[in-house]
């Protein structure tokens, strides 16, 4: 393949005169000349030269010209088909006819054009990048209908895999942020065959790049993650109807047309990406979409257990999101993970009330503890730990935690003993509950009482005191709706208090009923002028 920036060997003389026309007019006229007659084939060089122009408009015009010209040549069969000899070999060998030499020569020009278009995918101007990408994908479509390389095996049929693979490699750059161009590429991922082969190329590329380093490569991995998250998997076999290159024969046997093969390569792609060390911020991005966009399309979701376990060890919000993925595997895929609730219990720390993911944490915790078949001692441990943490929590968190605790007690009536324990008044100096114990089985929560909620009835904020007073009466059967208080903030409480309508303010011990009781008496002073 000839280098993209080298001046290629011409078939004859070309016009070296000064350009008097505008670049756009000249480019379009040269395209017409090439398509009109083979004697003007050398005009291809002038068109390709514009791909390296400094002006953005000229480059875009040249890219569009290449699109028009080579799509027409592919349709007419003017490019050599098969293993392409080196260009120097075709000039000195007499074994080829003039027709074959022309097609080989034009095939070399086509390869040079494709290389330059791939280089333009990292051009400084996004308009040029987008135009180059769309032209390359158009050429992929045309090559699929008019193959240039004969495929010897049936697995890949006549899809131009190598051409598409080069496009994917440019998108997965290690030096450039390609997220914007990848978003444009999403349009082509709607084609079943493009999506199938792209997933395979991503798997190969990640293995090749990441095996060379044990550290994270943030820019590269971000490009990979962006590309993978732009892949929308079909949910059933009947959805696979949109193909960029439809196979004329044996289409039903084509792997790209089978949902089970799509899921297999999708699973291999994600597992291959997640087995390497990720940038710290990417764990959270993966875990947020895991249960909705990844696990449902995997053949064996339980294979994600290693990644989820490693993610939990990172700590903080990532640990919480990892537990969410583990819960999905336990609940929907029968994964046996006995330490799940122990790990959830260990996440209950004072800092949980002061982080931005507080609402998501308690939403998921409410989901995890929703089953009525959980052991009583386990639920009591969560109730007691939350009550103890409530002593130092801000008012906004307390207005959510107190209903949360009451809902757990409603679901598990056996925990009501924590509220109504007659012996608690006699042993107020010592609480059997062990706050430092990380195992809910050994913390002795069932032997304790919720004296913390009674303490909160003396809270300085009246709304908190009112919420804590709910345990003074039998709890209703209906659970409290937590959706209204999960996102509650201190600012919202302050604003709500400011907007509250104040009642009448007493100005003295005995309010006056009349403006003047009798002449000379001052209201509110109770003395008479002499």
């Amino acid at each position: 393949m000839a280098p993209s920036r080298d001046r290629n060997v011409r078939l004859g003389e070309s016009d070296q005169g000064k350009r008097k026309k505008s670049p756009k007019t000249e480019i379009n006229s040269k395209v017409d000349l090439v398509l009109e007659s083979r004697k003007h084939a050398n005009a291809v060089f002038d068109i390709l030269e514009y791909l390296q122009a400094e002006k953005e408009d000229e480059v875009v015009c040249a890219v569009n010209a290449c699109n028009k010209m080579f799509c027409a040549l592919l349709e007419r069969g003017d490019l050599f088909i098969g293993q392409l000899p080196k260009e120097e070999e075709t000039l000195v060998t007499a074994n080829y006819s003039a027709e074959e030499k022309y097609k080989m020569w034009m095939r070399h020009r086509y390869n040079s054009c494709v290389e330059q278009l791939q280089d333009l995918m990292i051009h400084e101007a996004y308009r040029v990048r987008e135009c180059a990408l769309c032209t390359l994908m158009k050429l992929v479509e045309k090559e699929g209908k008019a193959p240039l390389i004969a495929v010897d095996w049936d697995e890949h049929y006549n899809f131009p895999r190598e051409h598409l693979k080069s496009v994917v490699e440019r998108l997965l750059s290690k030096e450039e942020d390609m997220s914007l161009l990848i978003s444009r590429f999403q349009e082509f991922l709607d084609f079943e065959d493009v999506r199938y082969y792209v997933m395979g190329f991503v798997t190969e590329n990640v293995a090749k790049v990441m095996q060379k380093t044990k550290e994270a490569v943030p820019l590269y991995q971000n490009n990979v993650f962006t590309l993978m998250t732009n892949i929308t998997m079909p949910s059933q076999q009947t959805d696979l109807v949109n193909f960029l290159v439809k196979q004329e024969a044996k289409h039903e046997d084509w792997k790209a047309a089978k949902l089970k093969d799509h899921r297999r390569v999708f699973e291999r792609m994600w597992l291959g990406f997640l087995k390497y060390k990720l940038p710290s911020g990417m764990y959270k991005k993966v875990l947020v979409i895991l249960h909705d966009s990844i696990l449902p399309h995997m053949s064996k979701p339980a294979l994600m257990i290693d990644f989820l376990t490693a993610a939990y060890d990172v700590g903080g919000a990532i640990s919480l999101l990892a537990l969410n993925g583990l819960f999905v595997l336990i609940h929907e895929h029968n994964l046996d993970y006995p330490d799940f609730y122990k790990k959830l219990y260990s996440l209950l720390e004072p800092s949980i009330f002061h982080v931005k993911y507080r609402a998501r944490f308690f939403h998921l915790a409410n989901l995890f503890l929703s089953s009525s078949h959980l052991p009583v001692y386990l639920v009591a441990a969560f109730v007691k730990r939350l009550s103890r943490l409530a002593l130092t929590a801000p008012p906004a968190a307390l207005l959510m935690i107190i209903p949360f605790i009451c809902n757990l007690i409603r679901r598990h009536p056996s925990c009501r003993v924590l509220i109504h324990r007659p012996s608690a008044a006699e042993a107020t100096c010592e609480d059997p509950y062990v706050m430092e114990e990380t195992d809910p089985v050994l913390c002795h929560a069932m032997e304790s009482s919720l004296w913390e909620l009674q303490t909160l009835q003396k809270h300085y904020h009246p709304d908190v005191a009112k919420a804590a007073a709910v345990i003074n009466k039998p709890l209703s059967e209906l659970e409290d709706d937590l959706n209204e208080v999960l996102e509650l903030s201190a600012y919202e409480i302050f604003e709500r208090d400011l907007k509250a309508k104040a009642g009448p303010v007493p100005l003295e011990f005995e309010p006056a009923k009349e403006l003047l009781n009798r002449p000379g008496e001052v209201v509110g002073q109770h003395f008479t002028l002499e």
Side-chain angles (χ1 to χ4, degrees):
M1 183 178 292
S4 61
R5 290 183 173 80
D6 291 345
R7 191 67 169 175
N8 294 294
V9 181
R10 296 174 181 262
L11 288 178
E13 297 293 332
S14 66
D15 181 18
Q16 298 294 332
K18 296 182 179 180
R19 302 186 180 103
K20 297 181 180 180
K21 303 176 182 178
S22 67
K24 182 176 181 180
T25 303
E26 182 178 358
I27 292 171
N28 291 334
S29 63
K30 289 185 179 295
V31 171
D32 294 337
L33 288 174
V34 172
L35 296 179
E36 178 184 340
S37 174
R38 292 184 178 180
K39 67 181 181 180
H40 301 296
N42 280 333
V44 174
F45 287 109
D46 298 312
I47 299 172
L48 297 182
E49 188 174 346
Y50 273 105
L51 293 176
Q52 302 175 25
E54 295 182 0
K55 296 182 179 180
E56 178 182 332
D57 290 340
E58 294 182 9
V59 177
V60 171
C61 184
V63 172
N64 291 330
C66 291
N67 186 359
K68 176 183 176 181
M69 179 175 60
F70 284 111
C71 283
L73 293 174
L74 281 166
E75 290 178 354
R76 285 170 16 180
D78 281 358
L79 301 184
F80 180 78
I81 299 175
Q83 188 65 35
L84 183 65
K86 293 183 179 180
E87 189 165 11
E88 294 79 7
E89 182 181 338
T90 62
L91 296 176
V92 299
T93 303
N95 296 335
Y96 301 109
S97 65
E99 175 77 11
E100 290 176 326
K101 286 185 177 181
Y102 169 80
K103 290 185 176 182
M104 290 178 183
W105 181 87
M106 191 58 76
R107 172 78 178 278
H108 280 291
R109 306 289 78 72
Y110 173 73
N111 291 343
S112 176
C113 174
V114 169
E115 284 186 355
Q116 293 187 64
L117 290 174
Q118 291 170 357
D119 291 340
L120 290 176
M121 286 178 62
I122 56 174
H123 193 274
E124 59 182 7
Y126 174 73
R127 182 183 169 205
V128 175
R129 294 187 183 194
E130 181 183 21
C131 193
L133 173 65
C134 294
T135 298
L136 286 168
M137 292 307 297
K138 185 66 176 179
L139 294 176
V140 168
E141 179 183 2
K142 292 298 181 181
E143 274 194 50
K145 296 178 181 178
L148 297 178
I149 298 178
V151 180
D152 296 330
W153 59 93
D154 293 336
E155 180 180 0
H156 300 295
Y157 293 76
N158 61 346
F159 193 92
R161 298 178 68 252
E162 293 303 320
H163 190 155
L164 181 61
K165 182 178 181 180
S166 298
V167 173
V168 174
E169 289 176 348
R170 294 304 193 282
L171 291 173
L172 302 182
S173 172
K174 296 186 284 293
E175 294 83 19
E176 298 279 342
D177 181 5
M178 305 294 287
S179 56
L180 192 59
L181 193 61
I182 290 173
S183 299
R184 182 65 179 84
F185 185 67
Q186 184 181 11
E187 171 190 334
F188 303 101
L189 292 173
D190 291 336
F191 293 104
E192 324 297 349
D193 44 359
V194 173
R195 183 197 313 116
Y196 175 81
Y197 288 116
V198 165
M199 290 190 292
F201 297 148
V202 170
T203 305
E204 295 176 15
N205 193 271
V206 169
K208 181 175 67 174
V209 173
M210 297 305 297
Q211 283 178 356
K212 298 178 181 179
T213 176
K214 296 182 180 179
E215 298 297 325
V217 188
L219 191 58
Y220 169 76
Q221 288 174 297
N222 186 67
N223 287 331
V224 175
F225 178 76
T226 303
L227 179 57
M228 293 195 302
T229 52
N230 275 279
I231 294 175
T232 303
M233 285 288 290
S235 57
Q236 50 189 356
Q237 179 64 43
T238 54
D239 294 335
L240 275 69
V241 294
N242 188 23
F243 292 87
L244 184 68
V245 181
K246 188 173 179 63
Q247 307 299 322
E248 298 298 332
K250 298 183 179 180
H251 182 82
E252 294 76 11
D253 299 331
W254 191 23
K255 286 189 175 183
K258 295 181 179 180
L259 180 60
K260 65 177 183 179
D261 289 296
H262 273 259
R263 288 188 171 181
R264 186 178 297 114
V265 72
F266 177 84
E267 178 180 271
R268 191 180 302 121
M269 175 186 69
W270 275 105
L271 292 176
F273 176 70
L274 297 177
K275 74 178 183 179
Y276 297 103
K277 183 178 180 180
L278 301 179
S280 58
M282 191 164 290
Y283 279 99
K284 188 174 181 181
K285 294 180 181 179
V286 173
L287 292 168
V288 164
I289 66 171
L290 182 68
H291 60 288
D292 288 331
S293 304
I294 301 177
L295 291 179
H297 304 294
M298 296 185 68
S299 302
K300 299 178 180 178
L303 294 176
M304 294 294 292
I305 182 64
D306 291 337
F307 167 72
L308 291 171
T309 304
Y312 175 81
D313 295 334
V314 176
I318 297 175
S319 297
L320 163 67
L321 296 173
L323 284 181
N324 185 24
L326 288 171
F327 181 78
V328 173
L329 295 181
I330 294 171
H331 184 66
E332 299 180 8
H333 302 283
N334 300 319
L335 177 71
D336 185 18
Y337 195 74
D339 292 335
F340 176 81
Y341 285 99
K342 182 178 179 181
K343 290 182 177 295
L344 177 62
Y345 183 79
S346 65
L347 290 178
L348 294 176
E349 296 290 342
S351 61
I352 201 67
F353 299 118
H354 304 279
V355 292
K356 62 181 180 180
Y357 56 86
R358 184 191 72 192
R360 183 176 182 87
F361 176 88
F362 285 101
H363 170 75
L364 294 175
N366 186 52
L367 176 65
F368 300 155
L369 298 170
S370 60
S371 175
S372 59
H373 299 289
L374 294 175
V376 177
Y377 74 85
L378 181 65
V379 178
F382 278 92
V383 168
K384 182 61 182 177
R385 190 172 185 87
L386 288 171
S387 300
R388 184 65 62 85
L389 293 174
L391 292 175
T392 56
L398 289 173
L399 293 177
M400 178 264 299
I401 284 298
I402 294 174
F404 188 96
I405 293 172
C406 293
N407 283 349
L408 290 179
I409 296 175
R410 289 186 178 100
R411 295 171 195 165
H412 303 271
S414 300
C415 291
R416 294 178 186 268
V417 67
L418 297 175
I419 300 176
H420 305 288
R421 186 182 296 279
S423 60
E426 301 174 2
T428 56
C429 296
E430 186 176 350
D431 190 342
Y433 174 70
V434 183
M435 181 69 176
E436 294 75 18
E437 178 58 56
T438 59
D439 191 343
V441 179
L442 306 176
C443 67
H444 303 289
M446 282 298 292
E447 303 169 19
S448 182
S449 64
L450 298 184
W451 58 267
E452 295 90 350
L453 292 187
Q454 189 172 10
T455 302
L456 290 175
Q457 294 177 13
K458 306 289 186 179
H459 197 274
Y460 69 88
H461 198 287
D463 290 347
V464 174
K466 182 179 179 181
V470 72
I471 64 171
N472 294 339
K473 298 179 181 179
L475 294 176
S476 62
E477 295 290 335
L478 188 64
E479 290 189 9
D480 296 322
D481 185 9
L482 298 179
N483 293 328
E484 298 180 358
V485 293
L486 282 176
E487 300 283 352
L488 191 63
S489 65
Y491 176 78
E492 291 173 336
I493 295 178
F494 184 73
E495 287 293 312
R496 186 175 63 186
D497 291 343
L498 287 179
K499 294 178 181 178
K501 294 183 179 180
V505 180
L507 300 179
E508 61 178 83
F509 182 72
E510 294 181 359
K513 297 181 180 180
E514 299 179 6
L515 183 60
L516 296 174
N517 289 335
R518 61 177 183 267
E521 182 179 0
V522 179
V523 179
Q525 295 288 336
H526 296 289
F527 62 88
T528 304
L529 294 174
E530 293 295 339

